[in-house]
Amino acid sequence: MSELSRPEEDLQEPGEAQGPVEVQLLVAEVGEAPRDLASYPPASCSTPVEPLPREILNEMMANLMKFLLLKYRAKKLTSLAEMLNNVFRDNQEHFPVVFSQALEYLQLAFGVEVKEVDPTEHIYVLVPTLGLTCDEMLSDGQGLPKAGLLVLVLSVIMCSGDPAPEEAVWGALSMMGVYVGSEHCVFGEPRELLTQVWVWERYLEYRQVPDSDPARYEFLWGPRAYAETSKEHVMAFVLRVRQRALRAFPLLSAEAAREEE
C-alpha cells in the first residue's frame, strides 16, 4: 500500500481518462450489458429518471473500466467522488449499477479486483486477482492486464486434471473470442502468450505428451503459479464467480461443473 498514492480529484478530463480503445472493443466482444442493466431504475433519485439506452450504459461502463485500469497501472487509489466527477458527471444516478457491472468485467476479463479500503471516504484500491503478479510491469503504460486470462487458463488446466490437452485450453479461449493465430485486441496472439511468454515466466509448462505420435501437447501449472496461488484458491475463485462466468466464460463454468460431478 505504501506505493499507492491517494486519489487526486479531477485528475484527468473525461476524454483523457478514457484510456485504450481496446477496452471498448473488449466490452463488445465479451457481451453487451444485460437487459436488467438497460432497464435498471436509477437509485436514490428524488425525481423519476428515464432508463438509458443499452448503448449508452455500455459506453459508460467502458469509460469507467478505462478510468479504473489507468488507476491500476499507475498503482493509485481512487474514490467514489473521483469516479463520479471524472466519469459520470451528468449521469451520477446511474453509478451504482454501472459500477457493479464494471467490477464484474474487470475481474473476469482483466483479473483486477476493486476493494474498498476506506468505507467512510469510499476510497478504493485495485489489486490483481489471486495475487498473481504477471501484470506488475504495466506501470510503463503499455498493454492491458492479462491476469484474468491466466486465471482462466489455470482453471481449465486444473479442471482437466493437470495436465490439460492443449485442445481443451484453445477451446476455452475460443469461447471468449480469443483464437490461435489471430491477434486479440487485449491479449495479443494467444499461442505466443501461453507457449512462450507465460512458459518463460514459469506460470505454465508446455510439453509434448510422452510417446505421442503424431505429437500432441499439453499444458501444466508452472512453479510460479504454485508459488503465487494454489489450486484451492483458484477453485474458490471459480465457484465464487461461477454464475457471472457462465455469461462471460461458458466453457470454464461447464468444466467446473463436470469436475464437481
Side-chain angles (χ1 to χ4, degrees):
M1 291 289 291
S2 60
E3 62 182 335
L4 292 165
S5 60
R6 302 289 291 184
E8 301 176 13
E9 301 298 336
D10 297 319
L11 178 66
Q12 296 172 307
E13 292 299 318
E16 295 175 343
Q18 289 183 359
V21 70
E22 289 89 343
V23 178
Q24 184 75 55
L25 297 175
L26 183 67
V27 171
E29 288 190 7
V30 173
E32 294 182 341
R35 295 186 182 277
D36 58 348
L37 175 59
S39 60
Y40 181 87
S44 304
C45 296
S46 57
T47 58
V49 178
E50 290 294 328
L52 292 176
R54 187 179 305 176
E55 295 77 13
I56 296 179
L57 288 172
N58 282 340
E59 182 179 0
M60 291 168 58
M61 184 176 69
N63 287 338
L64 179 59
M65 288 171 59
K66 295 170 189 175
F67 178 82
L68 292 173
L69 285 172
L70 285 174
K71 292 292 184 180
Y72 177 71
R73 293 192 299 189
K75 295 182 172 62
K76 290 186 175 181
L77 298 171
T78 190
S79 67
L80 171 62
E82 188 178 34
M83 287 184 279
L84 291 175
N85 292 335
N86 283 271
V87 181
F88 286 82
R89 293 195 173 180
D90 297 330
N91 296 286
Q92 296 188 6
E93 66 274 15
H94 294 277
F95 173 81
V97 67
V98 175
F99 181 62
S100 176
Q101 190 70 17
L103 299 194
E104 174 182 323
Y105 279 104
L106 282 173
Q107 186 177 55
L108 292 175
F110 294 107
V112 174
E113 295 188 56
V114 180
K115 297 183 178 182
E116 189 173 35
V117 294
D118 186 338
T120 302
E121 298 294 330
H122 299 293
I123 305 296
Y124 298 88
V125 63
L126 290 90
V127 297
T129 295
L130 301 179
L132 296 170
T133 63
C134 58
D135 294 321
E136 63 183 5
M137 299 304 293
L138 289 175
S139 58
D140 60 2
Q142 300 298 317
L144 289 168
K146 298 178 175 63
L149 186 69
L150 179 57
V151 171
L152 171 64
V153 172
L154 293 175
S155 301
V156 173
I157 295 172
M158 178 185 64
C159 292
S160 297
D162 194 7
E166 67 171 335
E167 294 81 7
V169 175
W170 303 137
L173 298 189
S174 68
M175 295 298 291
M176 55 177 291
V178 181
Y179 302 98
V180 174
S182 298
E183 191 77 12
H184 190 269
C185 63
V186 173
F187 306 121
E189 205 289 306
R191 181 177 292 279
E192 177 183 358
L193 179 62
L194 271 66
T195 65
Q196 297 182 38
V197 177
W198 283 343
V199 168
W200 182 80
E201 293 178 348
R202 303 192 304 155
Y203 282 111
L204 301 176
E205 293 183 8
Y206 180 67
R207 70 185 187 190
Q208 182 177 344
V209 177
D211 302 322
S212 59
D213 186 17
R216 292 180 292 109
Y217 292 85
E218 58 190 8
F219 284 100
L220 301 85
W221 277 41
R224 186 171 174 185
Y226 282 107
E228 293 185 357
T229 187
S230 68
K231 291 185 177 181
E232 290 77 13
H233 289 154
V234 170
M235 179 55 74
F237 173 82
V238 170
L239 295 176
R240 189 169 72 248
V241 302
R242 180 174 177 181
Q243 292 303 315
R244 292 176 292 164
L246 186 61
R247 179 171 64 251
F249 302 145
L251 182 62
L252 175 56
S253 294
E255 293 286 350
R258 282 197 291 270
E259 181 71 11
E260 290 177 0
E261 295 173 357

